[in-house]
């Protein structure tokens, strides 16, 4: 399926919102690098919204005129939500915005379109049969990461300065790391989610991707706050992240716990080197660094039961008619989910609680945790989702279990975590580290991320 682009003539003159929006639309339409990050763009609506902002809006709004892409599993009024799936090709335009999109608009942002996702956000690569391959701007031979593939690629390519994504197992932090930008998964419920079918054992977070920590902080403040429909959000105020960025912070003596493995068998040498180089930047801030020397349980087996049960519940009624339409990797996951017993599901929930409590015990001795984002750099762009992966030439097995257990871990526990660029792998593709904080500590987390950015600035991709 080709990108739906509802274009409009770009204005020669106009206010700040109109100029920013027109420039973003031109970059998206140009796409000389063939990134394929957007699956639906409504240029006419975006320009109209920007013109209205310039004429009637408040220029002091925190996101005034900022062009934003929204992952195509989240509802945007007037745009179809196709979930990266051929089964949703004829989806009607959404009747209303999901709450996060409504809050983006209220803060002055302009929604320009929908970014690509793997089918029903089930995979960590950049491909869907519905929309093809989304490419990594830095190196088209390697994956941009997923499932929020277009979000990471669009921000890295400078098409939009901010993207709204989701993160249930890796989907914000992995594409941010693979594309050399910043990806925040806030505390569960900090940005309310009104579309999840199960709100209590849920671990689907909304996430933010940008090139700069400051844009993440501005957006987080705007999108946070309670919503009656999301039990994890009730009673939560905004985190005052921007205020924290504006205050001098003393990191002297703050404790950073470095964890190099999270149950995975191997760690690529280039990842280990890049991670420890990042650690030096935190040491330079005066932080007290310690290296964790114990075993960490791999969270992926628990995650797998919970997520595949979720897929099974969603698709069970239509499975016979959809199994030849959906992608084989998703079908395989649904089949596994259909085979779990209620006892297995409940035991997985018990184990999720155990993982949370062990993580809380780690924070008893640390103010922040630092891990790699993945055990290796970005996989080849065409690597099959169900195929085993290799680390430094050694085949190690399952993609989620061996590449990104660091990420599913903190989806299950709900802790806020941010992916920050930390260098490149042996092939020159971006690598990232994950910085994690206690629940509701997004303000100090972002302040530390900003301080790290000042010590270790990262390169910005530009089209050649």
């Amino acid at each position: 399926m080709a990108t739906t682009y509802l274009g409009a003539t770009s204005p020669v003159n106009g206010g700040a919102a109109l100029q920013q929006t027109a420039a973003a639309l031109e970059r998206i339409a140009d796409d000389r690098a063939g990134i394929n990050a957007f699956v639906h763009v409504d240029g006419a609506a975006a320009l109209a919204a920007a013109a209205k902002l310039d004429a009637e809006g408040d220029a002091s709004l925190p996101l005034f005129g900022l062009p934003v892409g929204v992952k195509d599993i989240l509802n945007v009024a007037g745009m179809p939500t196709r979930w990266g799936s051929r089964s949703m090709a004829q989806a009607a335009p959404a009747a209303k915005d999901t709450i996060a999109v409504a809050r983006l608009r209220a803060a002055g942002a302009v929604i320009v379109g929908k970014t690509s996702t793997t089918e029903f956000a089930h995979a960590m690569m950049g491909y869907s049969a519905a929309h093809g391959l989304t490419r990594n701007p830095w190196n088209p031979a390697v994956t941009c990461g997923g499932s929020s593939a277009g979000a990471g690629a669009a921000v890295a390519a400078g098409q939009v300065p901010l993207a709204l994504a989701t993160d249930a197992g890796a989907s914000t932090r992995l594409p941010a790391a693979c594309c050399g930008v910043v990806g925040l998964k806030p505390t569960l419920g900090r940005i309310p989610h009104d579309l999840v079918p199960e709100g209590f054992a849920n671990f689907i977070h909304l996430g933010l991707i940008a090139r700069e920590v400051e844009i993440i902080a501005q957006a987080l403040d705007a999108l946070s706050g309670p919503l009656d429909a999301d039990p994890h959000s009730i009673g939560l105020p905004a985190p005052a992240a921007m205020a924290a960025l504006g205050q001098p912070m003393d990191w002297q003596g703050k404790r950073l716990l470095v964890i190099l493995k999270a149950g995975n068998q191997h760690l690529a040498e280039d990842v280990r080197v890049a991670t420890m180089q990042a650690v030096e930047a935190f040491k330079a801030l005066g932080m007290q660094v310690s290296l964790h020397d114990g075993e960490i349980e791999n969270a992926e087996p628990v995650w797998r039961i919970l997520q595949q049960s979720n897929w099974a519940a969603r698709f069970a009624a239509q499975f016979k008619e959809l199994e030849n339409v959906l992608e084989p990797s998703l079908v395989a996951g649904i089949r596994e989910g259909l085979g779990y017993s209620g006892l297995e599901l409940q035991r997985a929930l018990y184990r999720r609680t155990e993982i949370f409590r062990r993580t809380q015990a780690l924070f008893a001795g640390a103010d922040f945790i630092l891990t790699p984002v993945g055990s290796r750099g970005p996989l080849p762009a065409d690597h099959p989702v169900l195929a085993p992966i290799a680390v430094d030439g050694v085949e190690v097995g399952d993609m989620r279990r061996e590449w990104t257990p660091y990420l599913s871990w903190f989806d299950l526990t709900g802790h806020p975590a941010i992916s920050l660029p930390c260098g490149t792998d042996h092939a020159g593709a971006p690598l990232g580290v994950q910085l994690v904080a206690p629940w509701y500590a997004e303000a100090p987390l972002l302040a530390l991320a900003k301080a790290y950015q000042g010590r270790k600035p990262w390169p910005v991709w530009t089209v050649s």
Side-chain angles (χ1 to χ4, degrees):
M1 181 185 298
T3 300
T4 306
Y5 187 91
L6 306 178
T9 303
S10 298
V12 176
N13 298 305
L18 200 56
Q19 290 181 8
Q20 288 186 80
T21 302
L25 291 171
E26 288 171 0
R27 289 191 295 269
I28 294 166
D30 179 31
D31 196 21
R32 276 177 286 164
I35 292 165
N36 189 32
F38 277 85
V39 300
H40 182 95
V41 176
D42 191 338
L47 292 173
K52 185 175 182 180
L53 272 172
D54 283 331
E56 304 173 14
D58 180 355
S60 67
L61 289 169
L63 303 178
F64 183 85
L66 196 74
V68 176
V70 176
K71 184 176 181 178
D72 194 28
I73 71 170
L74 300 172
N75 288 348
V76 175
M79 298 185 189
T81 305
R82 297 192 178 111
W83 290 83
S85 179
R86 292 171 294 181
S87 69
M88 300 291 287
Q90 303 307 314
K96 66 175 184 178
D97 293 330
T98 189
I99 185 62
V101 172
R103 289 180 179 180
L104 281 169
R105 294 193 202 271
V110 177
I111 310 303
V112 297
K114 307 294 285 292
T115 56
S116 68
T117 175
T118 58
E119 186 169 46
F120 290 102
H122 83 286
M124 300 194 301
M125 301 298 283
Y127 173 81
S128 77
H131 298 114
L133 183 65
T134 299
R135 297 190 179 277
N136 190 321
W138 291 93
N139 181 352
V142 302
T143 185
C144 59
S147 63
S148 307
V155 169
Q159 294 178 345
V160 287
L162 177 67
L164 178 64
T166 63
D167 197 316
S171 297
T172 292
R173 291 157 293 160
L174 181 62
C178 290
C179 294
V181 291
V182 183
L184 174 70
K185 179 198 76 67
T187 306
L188 185 62
R190 176 66 86 180
I191 301 176
H193 198 347
D194 54 348
L195 297 178
V196 290
E198 198 290 308
F200 290 91
N202 168 56
F203 50 85
I204 303 172
H205 304 63
L206 295 186
L208 298 165
I209 297 179
R211 284 182 173 181
E212 303 292 330
V213 173
E214 187 170 357
I215 293 177
I216 298 274
Q218 289 173 322
L220 182 65
D221 282 346
L223 271 62
S224 298
L227 181 73
D228 288 347
D230 184 347
H232 293 290
S233 77
I234 294 172
L236 293 186
M242 279 301 294
L245 262 59
Q247 296 172 357
M249 302 287 283
D250 182 7
W251 303 109
Q252 192 72 35
K254 293 293 184 182
R255 301 163 299 171
L256 180 68
L257 179 63
V258 179
I259 299 175
L260 293 177
K261 289 185 180 179
N264 44 304
Q265 300 176 53
H266 297 278
L267 180 68
E269 179 61 16
D270 49 15
V271 173
R272 187 195 66 79
V273 169
T275 301
M276 297 312 294
Q277 288 174 347
V279 167
E280 292 303 313
F282 291 101
K283 283 184 178 178
L285 294 171
M287 299 189 76
Q288 177 184 320
V289 175
S290 60
L291 188 63
H292 183 71
D293 58 2
E295 292 293 321
I296 298 292
E297 177 185 358
N298 195 314
E300 191 278 336
V302 176
W303 180 93
R304 180 182 295 255
I305 293 172
L306 297 176
Q307 185 64 293
Q308 290 179 336
S309 296
N310 177 40
W311 295 338
R314 176 171 188 168
F315 293 104
Q318 300 174 287
F319 188 53
K320 286 187 177 180
E321 61 187 85
L322 288 177
E323 63 180 324
N324 293 321
V325 178
L326 300 177
E327 293 173 37
S329 51
L330 178 56
V331 169
I334 296 168
R335 286 191 193 281
E336 285 194 46
L338 290 170
Y340 297 130
S341 68
L343 182 59
E344 287 175 297
L345 176 59
Q346 192 62 45
R347 282 175 174 164
L349 291 169
Y350 286 178
R351 290 183 64 196
R352 179 185 179 186
T353 299
E354 291 170 3
I355 292 169
F356 170 79
R357 288 172 178 164
R358 286 198 293 269
T359 305
Q360 292 292 85
L362 292 175
F363 276 111
D367 299 298
F368 301 92
I369 292 173
L370 184 78
T371 78
V373 166
S375 64
R376 53 156 294 158
L379 290 164
D382 59 355
H383 189 93
V385 172
L386 298 180
I389 69 164
V391 176
D392 284 348
V394 177
E395 186 175 302
V396 297
D398 181 83
M399 183 186 294
R400 283 192 185 273
R401 192 168 302 180
E402 295 299 329
W403 188 23
T404 60
Y406 313 93
L407 306 184
S408 53
W409 173 9
F410 294 107
D411 279 302
L412 292 183
T413 68
H415 289 82
I418 190 167
S419 171
L420 300 166
C422 69
T424 58
D425 67 6
H426 63 279
L431 295 172
V433 289
Q434 174 180 234
L435 188 63
V436 189
W439 272 53
Y440 308 129
E442 287 90 353
L445 177 67
L446 287 166
L448 181 55
K450 180 68 174 176
Y452 167 82
Q453 184 177 359
R455 287 280 179 178
K456 193 175 172 62
W458 43 81
V460 172
W461 181 87
T462 55
V463 67
S464 57

